[in-house]
Amino acid sequence: MTELSNKVMIIMGASSGIGEATAKLLASKGVKLVLAARREERIKTLADSLGDQVFYQKADVTDRQQVQKVIDLTIEKFGRIDVMYNNAGIMPQGNLAKLEYASWQKMLDINIMGVLNGIGAVLPIMQKQQSGLIISTDSVAGHVVYPGSAVYNGTKYAVRAIMEGLRQEELSNGIRSTIISPGMVSSELFDTVGDATTEMALRETAGKAGFSLASADVAQAVLYAIEQPEHVIISEVLLRPAKQSI
């Protein structure tokens, strides 16, 4: 396994849920971190609680200039970037016939362009280093399609394609790519569903034993990918709650 205390990692979407759990786990392993999210007070509190090798930068993943500031801060503090984790995302639900154009656009901007903005900002540095690992949070929804979620499914299928393309294009530069595809996770992602009835149903299901993952479960999958030596690529980790049917 790789020595983690020498690793420098950026976590986008770090203020809650999977990002927060990953920050806590990786900080406990000695990883040097830069945390980014829109909610500055949340990431400041989190970073301050994790020690003097953890920094933060307010950033909206849909804004390339703000994402670039995260990269710049990381280089300023640590001089390199070993891992970029694109974790920000939203999950609005609803049938296509509802014609929720604004919701669709927001999903495209955050779930797809947010990932691309992270890749684009860090790629020149990793190419120069001739090493690096880029991780993106995908979903079981990027592997199966179900009613009421077509656009969300589409964004997650897109992330799969982008990350596989990244792997193929950059393998000669020593840059690896990983997607983490969890099933239902009990987190603040439920707040982005946008439909009260659907949100309530999801929360009720998640409250049943065996029907949802904890954010810390997904953080362990991220850790597994990062721990591998540089000649190993964990292309994908697909994890579900034990009782999830799809």
Side-chain angles (χ1 to χ4, degrees):
M1 294 297 181
T2 300
E3 173 53 54
L4 295 180
S5 63
N6 297 323
K7 292 288 185 184
V8 176
M9 179 177 181
I10 295 170
I11 303 177
M12 308 297 294
S15 62
S16 65
I18 294 169
E20 179 183 10
T22 301
K24 290 177 178 178
L25 178 61
L26 273 292
S28 75
K29 302 294 184 181
V31 177
K32 301 171 176 65
L33 297 172
V34 173
L35 310 179
R38 292 175 300 159
R39 296 177 291 184
E40 184 171 10
E41 189 57 38
R42 291 281 292 266
I43 51 168
K44 180 183 186 304
T45 299
L46 177 60
D48 289 348
S49 73
L50 296 178
D52 60 5
Q53 293 297 296
V54 180
F55 298 88
Y56 74 92
Q57 174 70 47
K58 180 180 178 181
D60 182 334
V61 296
T62 67
D63 187 318
R64 290 200 303 274
Q65 292 183 339
Q66 291 186 29
V67 175
Q68 186 61 50
K69 287 181 179 179
V70 179
I71 304 303
D72 294 344
L73 175 65
T74 309
I75 294 299
E76 174 191 333
K77 296 297 184 182
F78 300 116
R80 63 181 291 107
I81 300 170
D82 298 302
V83 185
M84 174 65 155
Y85 184 19
N86 297 303
N87 176 63
I90 58 172
M91 190 181 67
Q93 301 290 289
N95 287 356
L96 293 169
K98 294 178 74 173
L99 303 180
E100 294 179 315
Y101 291 101
S103 174
W104 299 347
Q105 188 64 59
K106 193 171 183 180
M107 268 191 281
L108 295 173
D109 291 343
I110 295 174
N111 293 2
I112 300 177
M113 284 308 304
V115 169
L116 288 168
N117 289 340
I119 292 170
V122 79
L123 203 51
I125 290 168
M126 290 186 172
Q127 287 174 331
K128 186 176 181 179
Q129 293 173 171
Q130 289 289 286
S131 68
L133 171 62
I134 299 176
I135 305 174
S136 293
T137 299
D138 199 70
S139 174
V140 168
H143 299 257
V144 297
V145 178
Y146 43 89
S149 193
V151 179
Y152 180 66
N153 292 138
T155 66
K156 292 304 184 178
Y157 270 80
V159 170
R160 276 181 66 198
I162 289 164
M163 293 296 287
E164 172 59 14
L166 174 68
R167 183 193 71 80
Q168 294 181 24
E169 292 173 7
E170 296 298 329
L171 56 86
S172 64
N173 288 319
I175 298 170
R176 299 172 294 154
S177 71
T178 297
I179 60 171
I180 307 294
S181 296
M184 183 179 289
V185 181
S186 293
S187 75
E188 291 184 19
L189 190 63
F190 288 149
D191 296 342
T192 71
V193 166
D195 179 86
T197 301
T198 303
E199 180 183 344
M200 183 180 298
L202 288 171
R203 290 186 185 277
E204 287 178 356
T205 300
K208 299 175 183 177
F211 281 87
S212 70
L213 302 169
S215 295
D217 299 326
V218 186
Q220 288 288 343
V222 178
L223 173 63
Y224 174 69
I226 293 171
E227 284 182 323
Q228 304 308 311
E230 290 194 355
H231 71 280
V232 176
I233 299 176
I234 303 300
S235 297
E236 179 182 330
V237 180
L238 179 61
L239 62 159
R240 293 179 170 92
K243 294 186 178 180
Q244 180 170 318
S245 61
I246 60 169

